[in-house]
Amino acid sequence: MTQDNRGAVNHRLKWIGISMLLISLTIGCGWGIYKLPAPLVDRMLKVDILKQAELWKRRVVLHLEYPETALKTGVIDAHDAEFLAAMPEASDV
């Protein structure tokens, strides 16, 4: 009779343990879903914005006839002015 009681108690303890584990996993997952997306999305957006800025910087520098002089002095020729005027239409920025 005592063996039957021990078996029943062990069985209940096992199910209580499994239930507690599932509850704690559910709470942990809920916390992760609530707290983690904002920092991850912010970091992803920052990386994407920096990557796009670097690409546009390269495009501008490659298309300018004399980029070093133009960026230092601010003096650009007609061809460069035309290219820079068309940039907003060609970009999604």
Side-chain angles (χ1 to χ4, degrees):
M1 182 106 171
T2 59
Q3 286 292 351
D4 291 338
N5 287 341
R6 281 187 184 171
V9 169
N10 286 340
H11 185 71
R12 284 185 185 170
L13 285 175
K14 181 173 68 171
W15 281 108
I16 289 172
I18 291 172
S19 298
M20 294 300 287
L21 177 67
L22 290 176
I23 289 170
S24 64
L25 284 173
T26 303
I27 291 171
C29 289
W31 178 83
I33 289 170
Y34 180 71
K35 288 289 185 180
L36 291 179
L40 291 176
V41 169
D42 288 344
R43 186 169 50 98
M44 288 171 52
L45 286 173
K46 182 179 178 180
V47 168
D48 186 52
I49 289 170
L50 290 173
K51 190 183 298 183
Q52 291 295 325
E54 184 64 32
L55 286 173
W56 278 107
K57 182 179 89 171
R58 288 181 187 169
R59 288 177 185 152
V60 168
V61 169
L62 287 175
H63 282 87
L64 292 177
E65 198 163 332
Y66 301 106
E68 192 172 303
T69 307
L71 294 174
K72 283 184 180 178
T73 63
V75 178
I76 56 174
D77 62 0
H79 177 273
D80 292 342
E82 183 180 333
F83 169 73
L84 292 173
M87 283 290 286
E89 297 171 6
S91 74
D92 59 348
V93 178

